[in-house]
């Protein structure tokens, strides 16, 4: 099927989209195998960070780069949630899971760099393991802030840079040497699971990402490491109207 999404990006964005289309059939299974299912705990931790912002009866959440909808489905336990992704095969798998769950989750095709929503639409905006893949990090942060209501909360769950000596070397070996072999073989992708550690290496570290969130206009930016910094949870807020 011809992709209906108009990209802000480029050839690079198309390559990312094609890569995820190729690994969509094995994406969930490999996530859980390769992380020993720790990824599920990380997503639940992300949802806990924003749960208080989803208690109002009319609260709504947006999950950007939702992929196969694992985080959107966790958010859907608390409030109606929309997930957006630019890769149809990832969305198709997510839609099947949403249908089985019966939770109030809707998935849409869309580009993180041109989110198809009006300003100030959501109480919570999240992204898990997605923003690293968007070709323009500042552009994605700006779109997330634009669609967040004043006073709303943002959470970014992403692979990061381990901070615990020993773990750094051990995980570095696993991530760079073992994971790509298993991932590329099982998914039959020539490169997706080699791209993964390379993309994390080039992604800003914890403090730098926090600074970029502040530059994008988020307030109260803070972060905490998960599993010794293998992943990190960054949170922030859009200033409330009373603060501006
Ligand atoms: C590693 S997956 C993460 C999926 C899901 N959030 C999760 O937690 O498993 C990254 C996703 O980002 C999506 N993505 C990358 N760039 C995007 C963009 N510019 N707009 C929308 N989706 C994008 C990919 O299609 C892919 O589904």
């Amino acid at each position: 099927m011809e992709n209906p999404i108009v990209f802000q990006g480029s050839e690079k964005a198309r390559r990312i989209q094609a890569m995820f289309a190729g690994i969509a059939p094995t994406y969930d299974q490999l996530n859980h195998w390769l992380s020993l299912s720790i990824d599920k705990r990380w997503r639940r931790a992300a949802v806990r960070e924003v749960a208080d912002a989803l208690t109002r009866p009319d609260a709504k959440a947006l999950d950007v780069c939702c992929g196969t909808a694992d985080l959107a489905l966790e958010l859907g336990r608390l409030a109606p949630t929309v997930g957006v992704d630019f890769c149809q095969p990832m969305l198709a798998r997510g839609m099947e899971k949403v249908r089985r769950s019966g939770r109030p989750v809707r998935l849409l095709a869309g580009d993180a760099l041109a989110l198809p929503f009006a300003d100030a639409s959501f109480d919570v905006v999240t992204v898990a393991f997605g923003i690293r893949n968007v070709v323009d990090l500042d552009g994605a942060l700006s779109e997330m802030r634009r669609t967040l209501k004043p006073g709303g909360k943002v959470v970014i769950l992403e692979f990061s840079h381990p901070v615990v000596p020993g773990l750094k070397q051990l995980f570095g070996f696993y991530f760079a040497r073992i994971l790509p072999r298993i991932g590329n073989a099982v998914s039959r992708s020539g490169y997706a699971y080699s791209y993964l550690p390379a993309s994390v290496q080039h992604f800003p570290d914890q403090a730098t990402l926090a600074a970029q969130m502040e530059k994008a206009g988020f307030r109260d930016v803070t972060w905490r490491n998960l599993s010794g910094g293998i992943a990190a949870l960054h949170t922030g807020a859009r200033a409330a109207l009373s603060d501006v």
Side-chain angles (χ1 to χ4, degrees):
M1 174 181 141
E2 190 61 25
N3 194 303
I5 302 164
V6 177
F7 291 106
Q8 293 289 306
S10 51
E11 194 44 44
K12 192 171 168 201
R14 282 185 199 284
R15 282 206 302 272
I16 299 278
Q17 187 194 38
M19 181 182 78
F20 281 105
I23 64 170
T26 51
Y27 177 81
D28 283 343
Q29 194 182 26
L30 275 171
N31 261 356
H32 307 327
W33 283 0
L34 293 171
S35 75
L36 305 174
S37 285
I38 292 171
D39 64 310
K40 296 183 189 171
R41 286 219 307 264
W42 289 343
R43 286 193 192 81
R44 286 197 291 266
V47 172
R48 280 198 297 277
E49 293 287 342
V50 291
D52 59 338
L54 292 175
T55 50
R56 278 211 334 266
D58 63 342
K60 279 188 301 183
L62 168 65
D63 184 37
V64 180
C65 300
C66 66
T68 59
D70 275 356
L71 184 60
L73 279 166
E74 284 300 321
L75 291 161
R77 292 178 189 275
L78 304 180
T81 298
V82 182
V84 171
D85 200 284
F86 73 0
C87 179
Q88 287 289 356
M90 293 287 275
L91 284 174
R93 287 194 140 65
M95 281 171 189
E96 184 52 33
K97 285 154 68 179
V98 167
R99 196 186 55 73
R100 285 200 305 267
S101 76
R103 288 179 211 155
V105 174
R106 198 160 58 95
L107 303 185
L108 297 176
D111 187 347
L113 295 174
L115 289 171
F117 307 105
D119 296 359
S121 295
F122 297 96
D123 300 271
V124 160
V125 177
T126 63
V127 61
F129 308 111
I131 205 158
R132 170 177 39 87
N133 300 291
V134 180
V135 295
D136 172 6
L137 172 60
D138 292 334
L141 290 172
S142 160
E143 276 295 271
M144 290 172 75
R145 183 182 170 279
R146 180 185 68 74
T147 50
L148 195 57
K149 289 182 188 170
K153 274 196 164 178
V154 66
V155 64
I156 299 177
L157 168 61
E158 190 48 87
F159 284 112
S160 198
H161 298 260
V163 291
V164 180
L167 175 71
K168 198 171 169 163
Q169 286 72 19
L170 200 65
F171 180 73
F173 180 75
Y174 167 72
F175 208 45
R177 299 288 171 86
I178 299 175
L179 177 143
R181 285 186 192 192
I182 303 173
N184 288 335
V186 174
S187 68
R188 295 168 194 252
S189 162
Y191 60 95
Y193 288 85
S194 308
Y195 158 85
L196 169 59
S199 66
V200 175
Q201 206 186 343
H202 290 105
F203 192 67
D205 66 16
Q206 291 86 329
T208 309
L209 178 58
Q212 283 190 248
M213 289 173 71
E214 279 167 359
K215 200 177 100 203
F218 289 110
R219 293 255 178 107
D220 305 327
V221 173
T222 129
W223 50 270
R224 68 185 174 92
N225 288 318
L226 300 174
S227 307
I230 291 173
L233 263 182
H234 284 70
T235 54
R238 183 169 179 178
L241 284 177
S242 53
D243 297 338
V244 285

